[in-house]
Amino acid sequence: THEEVTSEYLGGATTHAKKSGVADFVFDNEIAVLQQIRRLVDFLPSSNQSEMKIKKNDTSFNTEIPSLDNLIPKDKNKPYDMKDLISKLADNEDFFEVQKDYAPNIIIGFIRVDGFSIGVVGNQPMHLAGCLDINSSRKAARFVRFCDCFNIPLLVLVDVPGFLPGTDQEWNGIILNGAKLLYALSEATVPKVTVITRKAYGGAYDVMNSKHIGADMNFAWPSAEIAVMGAKGAVEIIYRNDIGDEEKINKHTEAYEDRFLNPFVAAERGYVDDVIMPRNSRSRIGKALKMLR
């Protein structure tokens, strides 16, 4: 094809870990590979028909984690690291991440809660504000299907402002690829628990294991915003005649935020099972998974 390219750049470890998503892990040497394979196998059952291994530890799932109350910044446009939350929810803060270099706007991997392996899918606000795009949808969908095959329950952590817009996404089939994640979560028969930490907007909210596609337990933090879109965007559509009058737009935005940008409206309608304090997340997730088992 007359391409000037080295074999490493064409199909080396870095290329397949970052660009194509073919490789799940990349390590420096054989010793690291063997150690990490042991760690991975430890999270998995022996086969798709085997009972799940239970690895008891000293961490009680009833533990409160006060630092989680301050995880979400007051400024809604400021990012935070979703991996901090995942680690704190895990037994012994042990999180085994899969495909960490590919589509970093979504995080996938394994943790244990009360000794049981759990597959985690979470938006990462540090990259692309946590938007779903083609690569992240495919990455998460494959992981969900893998967990479903091996009877590993799923925990979905949501902070998603929507699907990534733009010609590149549209022309390459964001609708087809976003549907893969929707389908994978809809079809999965394992226990599925969702926690909405901040933004849950539009179609991306639906796709991220919402009640509407069969999630078992859905929790929201008080900082959760479940809506069609952000307040400013919504106000500029609803009150388009007032655009240009800054005072009126600000007034409408405040009213919209008070009325819609909180989890209690969704809870009233049964789309959220409970609004929980962040510090209680680990205990509520643990109890939900125990009940679903």
Side-chain angles (χ1 to χ4, degrees):
T1 59
H2 310 294
E3 284 180 279
E4 289 290 328
V5 67
T6 64
S7 58
E8 182 60 33
Y9 188 68
L10 174 69
T14 306
T15 298
H16 282 316
K18 285 189 175 176
K19 292 183 188 295
S20 70
V22 168
D24 287 353
F25 308 100
V26 174
F27 302 113
D28 293 334
N29 54 58
E30 284 96 333
I31 294 166
V33 167
L34 292 171
Q35 283 173 339
Q36 296 305 315
I37 285 176
R38 283 191 191 112
R39 198 171 157 220
L40 171 62
V41 169
D42 201 32
F43 277 102
L44 306 177
S46 302
S47 76
N48 66 321
Q49 295 180 329
S50 301
E51 287 292 308
M52 185 57 70
K53 288 177 277 195
I54 305 168
K55 195 167 186 176
K56 284 296 176 189
N57 64 90
D58 303 329
T59 322
S60 163
F61 73 76
N62 280 319
T63 316
E64 280 195 352
I65 310 164
S67 60
L68 289 183
D69 288 348
N70 303 314
L71 181 68
I72 305 287
K74 286 197 165 50
D75 181 352
K76 290 174 186 175
N77 295 316
K78 257 196 175 169
Y80 60 93
D81 194 349
M82 188 62 89
K83 288 181 196 176
D84 289 346
L85 171 58
I86 296 170
S87 297
K88 283 177 176 156
L89 295 176
D91 291 357
N92 301 327
E93 298 201 1
D94 181 20
F95 170 47
F96 187 66
E97 191 174 358
V98 179
Q99 284 192 311
K100 67 177 178 187
D101 296 319
Y102 178 67
N105 44 317
I106 207 157
I107 302 165
I108 58 173
F110 299 100
I111 63 170
R112 284 188 187 83
V113 176
D114 197 28
F116 289 87
S117 288
I118 309 292
V120 179
V121 177
N123 306 113
Q124 174 57 295
M126 304 284 281
H127 292 274
L128 296 177
C131 274
L132 283 174
D133 62 356
I134 290 168
N135 291 346
S136 63
S137 298
R138 284 209 308 250
K139 168 182 167 179
R142 287 192 66 202
F143 182 72
V144 166
R145 293 181 75 83
F146 177 89
C147 290
D148 193 38
C149 287
F150 289 94
N151 295 315
I152 299 169
L154 287 160
L155 170 63
V156 181
L157 303 170
V158 183
D159 185 350
V160 65
F163 282 96
L164 189 66
T167 52
D168 178 56
Q169 292 293 308
E170 208 63 55
W171 296 346
N172 285 296
I174 181 65
I175 296 170
L176 293 176
N177 289 287
K180 288 177 182 173
L181 179 54
L182 178 78
Y183 184 80
L185 281 165
S186 300
E187 194 193 38
T189 57
V190 293
K192 295 177 288 187
V193 176
T194 300
V195 179
I196 300 168
T197 60
R198 189 166 60 176
K199 295 173 182 171
Y201 292 167
Y205 150 69
D206 273 325
V207 169
M208 289 298 290
N209 203 35
S210 63
K211 207 72 174 168
H212 319 285
I213 63 167
D216 294 304
M217 292 297 286
N218 292 60
F219 300 116
W221 287 4
S223 51
E225 302 173 3
I226 303 162
V228 176
M229 58 177 71
K232 193 147 175 49
V235 161
E236 285 175 358
I237 292 169
I238 299 165
Y239 302 102
R240 63 168 68 84
N241 296 337
D242 292 337
I243 290 175
D245 188 335
E246 204 63 35
E247 198 178 318
K248 270 188 180 175
I249 289 291
N250 288 341
K251 206 172 168 187
H252 292 318
T253 304
E254 272 178 43
Y256 187 93
E257 282 175 352
D258 291 344
R259 178 71 185 90
F260 294 112
L261 287 199
N262 66 69
F264 300 102
V265 178
E268 270 175 29
R269 295 177 181 181
Y271 304 150
V272 169
D273 291 296
D274 206 353
V275 179
I276 62 172
M277 285 304 289
R279 64 172 57 215
N280 298 325
S281 299
R282 183 174 152 81
S283 86
R284 294 307 297 271
I285 290 163
K287 283 172 185 168
L289 290 167
K290 191 175 181 184
M291 177 191 76
L292 293 165
R293 270 197 300 278

